[in-house]
Amino acid sequence: MVSLKILSILTISFLCTLASAQGSNQAQPIDESRRSTPPRLMTPPSKGSTISGTFSDVYVQIKDQDPVRRAGMRATLLRRAQQVVPIVVIVDNADSYLFAISNWEAMIRFPILWDDGTPNSREDIARFVRAFKPEQVLRISGQSDSPWVGDRDAKQKVFEKTLSMAVDESIGNWKTAFDRLAERELISPGMVVTDVTDPAWTAAIALCAGRLQPIAFINKPSTPTVLPISMLDADNLERSIERAASLSGRSWDEIGDDIDAITLAMNTGTMIKEGKLALTDRLGRTEASGSGKRWAWCGQIIGAESRSVYQAMCSLFLSIDQGFIWDGYTSKQPWAQYDGTEAGKILSEKSFDVEVHDQPKYTLNDWKLRMVRPIGKASDSDSSGALIMLMNSKGPSNVFDLPGSVDGQGKPGHLPVMNVPTALHIVHSFSLQRPIARTSVGGRFIERGVYVYAGSVDEPYLNAFVPTPSIARRLAGSLAFSTAIHYDDNKVWKITVLGDPLVTFGHAGQRIEGKINVPGSIDIEERYKQLLKDKDYQGAILDLAMLGRDKDVARIAIALMSDQPDLFSPKSAFISIPSLFRVGEYTKMIDAYERLDAFGQSHALMQDLLWLSSPYLLARSASQVDERSRIEALLRSNIRTDQSIEDAESLAMAMRKHSPDNAIGILEALRPTLSGRDLKRLDRAIARARK
């Protein structure tokens, strides 16, 4: 499929610059009783050190570094060594995915994304394409020699056969291939654990092949992702992982040895019932309940096939080169330790393009005004640019409070649209308590494009979080993501990592020329051009949206609405609205919104985009009575059920000067739908609107 040849030895100069680190929230609870001595947080050298030589030489020299640093350094080195064909392949089923993975050739690879036909899948693909900037995007429907059918044993054999082909087809066995690399002391710093009956197997096979990690097949616990897992099941899972690590032939039982990371690609509970602990913080620790020593850092991948693939491909093929920081904390101690401005300076020193929001423009109102625009730049440069987002907030799982907010006014629907895939660390008590619920902070962040996420499953107290500047220092110093966000010596606690634990800053490999020839493959760029010629505007808009070509989507949508409105279908409007939002065509977005059918107008993503743009729309139309009435009516008919009071109050505040009775009426109309505490919240919102 790819006709290319790999160099057997790569000579590189590996510069590891690792800066200092150490280890709060106005109103974020503080608990100093959990430990009597300060937690350990490895401090990398401030001036850095240069390690050079052949690939093998560099890899061996990493053994002389601090044990906590080694996994991230090895993961960074292995990713830099890969050779990337700048072509994105899109598939829509397991057989095509396996076929594509099997055609990776050792260190020569290309990204693969899975389109399941949903708007979220389309958004993920476009987000990746914007950051990766491929030369070509192909849709293939090739069939695997071994189809993904049968029972667990049959699928495990297909998995291993495909992995073997991707790692080294000439050897024909992934274990033998990894053993031969180990003879040259080239050993991946992690292992992957999955159940082939779980959708996250798709991420598992990519991360095994892409990071040269051994696979362990373990039957997943019966607990679904929406429920907490028992400590008994967590202990059994740990024992199974330890057995698999022992059988791998690699050293594993100390930090700094061969295996220092576990990727749990498995949809099961992310929180342990007893103690409300993070499953990923318990795994990689010996003894019952994780009471023994830590031997590995863990990250968990959850979600459907498409979402799991997205997380893996972002980890393997995107460099993080920009930052977005929002610090909602006071400058008083101990919250000042989490200073976002300092974190921004650290990233800027590493040549990151950083946007920082801190005192005094850090309130909820400032947030809403900023989120009228997406975050993350998708420039036309050749660099592969994902985003690191660092945020300090507080609140329960369905609220993020910032200064100036009352009654939990910061809701998941106010979270930003992301132009590019994002790695996130958030100091917040409960953001990942319900990670698959879009009505939670964590769930909405994940929906919006976060591919690796550090947050809390339950109240951890402020001092459990590594301070934000230290997160920046440790990540900038090539520490692996799951290592960087934890204290080095904490006991099992509540901070979890969802995503690949071995995500690091740094280059994502060398781009090389290559072609992918598959009979029946479709070049998306060529297809959209033909669709335009055939006047299939809906099909062309769909392809352009998946290519992340927002300006082109907006241009066609605006032209159709103006000149050929009969050809601008409700589905075309649905596909176009995210692009119109991204390029700032908010008024035209309203025109498109009014062309949606009932399904489209009630769709969660469409409503979020409408409300995110509302500060601009309401301000712009303030002196235009007809336009103002149009926008107010559209907002009123699309108040979101999961944050109805917040939406209604926001609209009422905009209307109260010119139409006070209607403003209060919007809020009062909610009364029959509410009960208990929500009724009291409604009364307080009405009182504020009357002032």
Side-chain angles (χ1 to χ4, degrees):
M1 182 175 175
V2 181
S3 180
L4 296 163
K5 210 167 186 177
I6 186 170
L7 300 176
S8 59
I9 296 179
L10 301 174
T11 302
I12 62 173
S13 177
F14 186 53
L15 180 64
C16 305
T17 305
L18 297 156
S20 71
Q22 41 180 345
S24 350
N25 180 329
Q26 187 163 331
Q28 177 78 30
I30 306 167
D31 179 11
E32 298 292 353
S33 66
R34 291 192 58 242
R35 57 189 310 140
S36 56
T37 58
R40 180 181 184 269
L41 206 56
M42 191 277 296
T43 304
S46 58
K47 295 184 179 180
S49 58
T50 300
I51 307 173
S52 62
T54 66
F55 186 100
S56 298
D57 290 340
V58 172
Y59 217 74
V60 170
Q61 291 174 60
I62 290 174
K63 289 185 176 181
D64 297 329
Q65 306 301 313
D66 188 292
V68 173
R69 300 171 61 185
R70 295 174 194 169
M73 294 175 74
R74 284 190 284 157
T76 300
L77 181 59
L78 280 174
R79 199 170 72 134
R80 284 187 62 173
Q82 74 177 344
Q83 299 188 14
V84 179
V85 180
I87 298 173
V88 170
V89 170
I90 299 175
V91 302
D92 60 12
N93 60 72
D95 288 349
S96 296
Y97 181 69
L98 290 166
F99 174 71
I101 287 279
S102 71
N103 280 280
W104 285 359
E105 297 181 3
M107 298 298 283
I108 300 176
R109 304 170 188 133
F110 49 86
I112 308 158
L113 294 167
W114 185 311
D115 177 17
D116 63 11
T118 64
N120 286 344
S121 175
R122 182 167 62 245
E123 281 284 295
D124 281 345
I125 292 170
R127 213 176 274 115
F128 181 93
V129 170
R130 285 188 205 97
F132 183 72
K133 302 174 184 66
E135 295 178 4
Q136 188 179 33
V137 178
L138 292 177
R139 183 182 285 274
I140 69 167
S141 56
Q143 297 296 309
S144 172
D145 292 337
S146 303
W148 192 250
V149 295
D151 59 13
R152 181 179 270 111
D153 289 341
K155 288 182 175 179
Q156 286 179 189
K157 290 177 182 177
V158 173
F159 187 111
E160 293 195 90
K161 179 181 178 181
T162 304
L163 176 58
S164 298
M165 294 175 69
V167 172
D168 194 331
E169 189 172 6
S170 65
I171 295 177
N173 183 289
W174 66 267
K175 295 178 183 177
T176 303
F178 287 174
D179 286 343
R180 291 186 182 179
L181 288 172
E183 291 171 1
R184 296 164 53 196
E185 298 197 61
L186 300 179
I187 301 172
S188 174
M191 63 182 293
V192 179
V193 177
T194 197
D195 183 328
V196 290
T197 67
D198 187 279
W201 71 266
T202 52
I205 194 168
L207 292 172
C208 285
R211 294 198 186 278
L212 305 179
Q213 299 179 97
I215 183 65
F217 298 117
I218 296 174
N219 294 355
K220 68 178 182 179
S222 59
T223 306
T225 316
V226 295
L227 296 176
I229 191 173
S230 70
M231 183 61 81
L232 177 61
D233 281 344
D235 284 351
N236 288 338
L237 190 56
E238 168 66 19
R239 283 191 287 270
S240 296
I241 293 171
E242 290 181 13
R243 283 194 295 270
S246 298
L247 293 172
S248 71
R250 310 287 185 261
S251 60
W252 62 272
D253 59 351
E254 299 277 354
I255 292 295
D257 57 16
D258 291 344
I259 297 177
D260 275 355
I262 303 163
T263 303
L264 181 68
M266 190 175 289
N267 284 273
T268 191
T270 57
M271 179 172 69
I272 298 172
K273 185 185 305 181
E274 296 86 345
K276 297 183 178 180
L277 305 172
L279 175 63
T280 61
D281 202 28
R282 186 268 169 268
L283 298 181
R285 299 175 188 261
T286 60
E287 307 301 339
S289 305
S291 58
K293 64 181 179 181
R294 181 190 286 280
W295 61 272
W297 311 94
C298 182
Q300 183 177 0
I301 292 180
I302 59 174
E305 290 89 347
S306 175
R307 181 68 203 179
S308 298
V309 170
Y310 170 78
Q311 293 173 74
M313 297 300 156
C314 291
S315 299
L316 293 173
F317 293 103
L318 296 182
S319 300
I320 300 173
D321 61 8
Q322 53 183 315
F324 183 92
I325 299 173
W326 198 286
D327 183 0
Y329 290 169
T330 178
S331 57
K332 297 179 180 179
Q333 292 295 347
W335 301 280
Q337 297 177 53
Y338 294 77
D339 182 26
T341 298
E342 182 183 349
K345 290 178 181 177
I346 293 165
L347 295 180
S348 295
E349 290 170 358
K350 298 297 180 182
S351 300
F352 276 49
D353 188 345
V354 185
E355 180 179 344
V356 178
H357 295 263
D358 204 339
Q359 297 183 72
K361 294 185 177 296
Y362 69 145
T363 68
L364 181 61
N365 187 58
D366 294 319
W367 173 280
K368 290 180 179 180
L369 293 174
R370 171 59 186 86
M371 297 316 163
V372 169
R373 295 175 287 117
I375 68 170
K377 296 180 180 179
S379 66
D380 295 328
S381 66
D382 293 331
S383 64
S384 301
L387 175 81
I388 176 71
M389 180 175 180
L390 304 174
M391 181 177 175
N392 300 332
S393 178
K394 62 185 177 66
S397 66
N398 66 337
V399 169
F400 67 97
D401 269 341
L402 294 172
S405 63
V406 292
D407 274 348
Q409 290 173 325
K411 287 289 191 176
H414 299 129
L415 294 175
V417 168
M418 294 166 177
N419 274 330
V420 295
T422 300
L424 171 66
H425 177 271
I426 180 171
V427 183
H428 179 286
S429 297
F430 299 92
S431 75
L432 282 176
Q433 189 177 60
R434 300 180 296 124
I436 66 170
R438 75 179 308 274
T439 54
S440 72
V441 172
R444 195 70 61 95
F445 261 130
I446 290 170
E447 178 187 292
R448 294 279 166 81
V450 170
Y451 68 94
V452 61
Y453 187 147
S456 183
V457 301
D458 188 63
E459 177 59 78
Y461 302 106
L462 176 62
N463 47 329
F465 290 99
V466 173
T468 308
S470 297
I471 296 290
R473 288 191 186 99
R474 284 159 72 89
L475 288 173
S478 295
L479 270 74
F481 188 86
S482 192
T483 308
I485 65 93
H486 284 106
Y487 287 106
D488 299 342
D489 59 348
N490 260 10
K491 296 180 180 179
V492 181
W493 200 230
K494 301 173 187 260
I495 312 298
T496 194
V497 172
L498 296 186
D500 179 1
L502 289 172
V503 167
T504 58
F505 289 177
H507 296 293
Q510 176 187 359
R511 293 198 173 200
I512 59 175
E513 293 184 5
K515 292 183 178 180
I516 296 177
N517 299 310
V518 178
S521 63
I522 298 170
D523 185 316
I524 302 296
E525 176 117 7
E526 294 302 318
R527 184 172 71 176
Y528 96 75
K529 293 176 181 177
Q530 185 60 49
L531 290 170
L532 283 177
K533 290 180 182 179
D534 296 340
K535 297 186 177 180
D536 182 351
Y537 297 115
Q538 180 175 296
I541 289 171
L542 180 61
D543 280 351
L544 283 166
M546 196 167 288
L547 291 170
R549 300 271 289 273
D550 299 299
K551 291 180 181 179
D552 291 328
V553 171
R555 177 177 54 81
I556 294 171
I558 292 169
L560 287 174
M561 286 189 286
S562 174
D563 302 331
Q564 302 181 75
D566 291 344
L567 298 180
F568 192 63
S569 65
K571 186 171 182 180
S572 296
F574 188 94
I575 300 165
S576 301
I577 284 173
S579 293
L580 289 166
F581 177 86
R582 282 192 166 91
V583 302
E585 290 284 358
Y586 306 114
T587 302
K588 297 299 182 183
M589 190 190 86
I590 294 300
D591 294 340
Y593 205 102
E594 291 178 332
R595 288 166 168 79
L596 293 173
D597 55 21
F599 168 80
Q601 288 212 6
S602 63
H603 192 277
L605 175 60
M606 298 297 106
Q607 291 186 334
D608 280 355
L609 295 174
L610 175 65
W611 279 96
L612 284 169
S613 62
S614 64
Y616 171 87
L617 292 166
L618 290 167
R620 184 180 180 279
S621 64
S623 61
Q624 305 168 40
V625 176
D626 290 344
E627 183 68 6
R628 183 182 67 199
S629 298
R630 173 195 180 206
I631 291 167
E632 289 172 354
L634 192 59
L635 289 167
R636 183 170 187 171
S637 63
N638 286 282
I639 288 175
R640 293 165 289 187
T641 56
D642 59 320
Q643 54 184 80
S644 59
I645 297 175
E646 289 73 25
D647 285 351
E649 182 178 359
S650 177
L651 182 54
M653 288 297 192
M655 295 175 61
R656 62 179 178 170
K657 288 186 178 180
H658 66 267
S659 186
D661 290 342
N662 286 335
I664 300 303
I666 290 170
L667 285 160
E668 285 289 0
L670 299 178
R671 194 172 294 278
T673 68
L674 304 174
S675 61
R677 292 181 180 178
D678 286 339
L679 282 173
K680 293 181 179 179
R681 289 177 54 231
L682 177 66
D683 289 337
R684 292 193 292 271
I686 291 172
R688 289 190 292 270
R690 290 187 187 278
K691 288 182 180 179

